[in-house]
Amino acid sequence: MTTSALKSLGTAALFALGMASGMVRAEAIHFPAGKATFDARCAVCHQAGGKGQDGLAPPLTAYPGHYAASAQGRHQLPDTVLHGMYGEIHVADKTYNFKMPNFDSLSDDELAQVLNYVVFDLNASSHGSAKPFTTAEIKAARAKSMDAGAVYAQRTAVTKALGLR
Ligand code: HEC
């Protein structure tokens, strides 16, 4: 092989490596177990990557980060997945009114992981200095006697306090 052929082979290899590492970076998931649960249990309504579906389920790509980062809003996330929610809501000026089922059959760990995937992988620009959810927080939320209507009423107060519409 000539020197120039070797050189171009080297360039091609470097290029391929760069592409591959770029792809790995773009797809780096902080909470892969949470993503697996999300893809299996949540994406049917909220769609892959939580982008939402008009007329069915809201996007989970902005509000959950704000909830997780605030003292008043944080518990809204475990409460929603454990107790469900229904009633008309607004997310980024769109209206949704369908039933969010409860997922109390999932373990504390599965729920902490799925919420961490939502907050840290899907809300990178809004979670601020939020800390990851722990199994203890899920356990505490599970112990509350709350129903889907109470979660809805609480959401109204939380979104108002956080200035979200
Ligand atoms: C059957 C469809 C469906 C499935 C499956 C589903 N959701 Fe939902 N989810 C909804 C709907 C509908 C709402 C809005 C409810 C309302 O209008 O009150 C919602 C609301 C939410 C909210 C509140 C958003 C906000 O702005 O307050 C979160 C968080 C959420 N879902 C997370 C999840 C997670 C995590 C899973 C999987 C474990 C999941 N959902 C599975 C339909 C679904």
Side-chain angles (χ1 to χ4, degrees):
M1 214 182 272
T2 65
T3 317
S4 80
L6 263 178
K7 250 191 199 152
S8 65
L9 195 69
T11 311
L14 272 177
F15 181 68
L17 200 70
M19 290 285 288
S21 65
M23 277 158 64
V24 168
R25 245 199 317 279
E27 285 170 14
I29 297 291
H30 298 97
F31 291 91
K35 180 182 189 300
T37 301
F38 190 90
D39 291 347
R41 309 298 295 266
C42 319
V44 61
C45 292
H46 291 286
Q47 305 298 295
K51 70 178 167 54
Q53 193 173 316
D54 287 359
L56 177 64
L60 299 177
T61 47
Y63 286 20
H66 292 287
Y67 297 158
S70 85
Q72 317 101 295
R74 188 169 171 86
H75 51 92
Q76 185 66 20
L77 292 170
D79 290 347
T80 305
V81 292
L82 280 162
H83 307 292
M85 183 167 73
Y86 61 79
E88 185 177 294
I89 64 165
H90 304 278
V91 174
D93 285 329
K94 284 191 180 167
T95 302
Y96 301 85
N97 191 355
F98 187 58
K99 196 172 181 328
M100 161 76 189
N102 71 60
F103 287 89
D104 58 0
S105 60
L106 298 184
S107 70
D108 293 345
D109 187 51
E110 285 171 313
L111 289 174
Q113 296 290 330
V114 80
L115 289 180
N116 285 332
Y117 168 67
V118 169
V119 170
F120 296 97
D121 285 310
L122 306 184
N123 289 257
S125 60
S126 63
H127 66 64
S129 55
K131 289 199 176 64
F133 282 97
T134 62
T135 53
E137 284 179 281
I138 307 298
K139 203 168 177 225
R142 197 187 285 279
K144 292 188 199 169
S145 62
M146 236 186 154
D147 63 15
V151 175
Y152 176 75
Q154 180 176 271
R155 184 190 190 274
T156 306
V158 164
T159 48
K160 195 167 173 226
L162 298 182
L164 300 169
R165 191 205 119 81

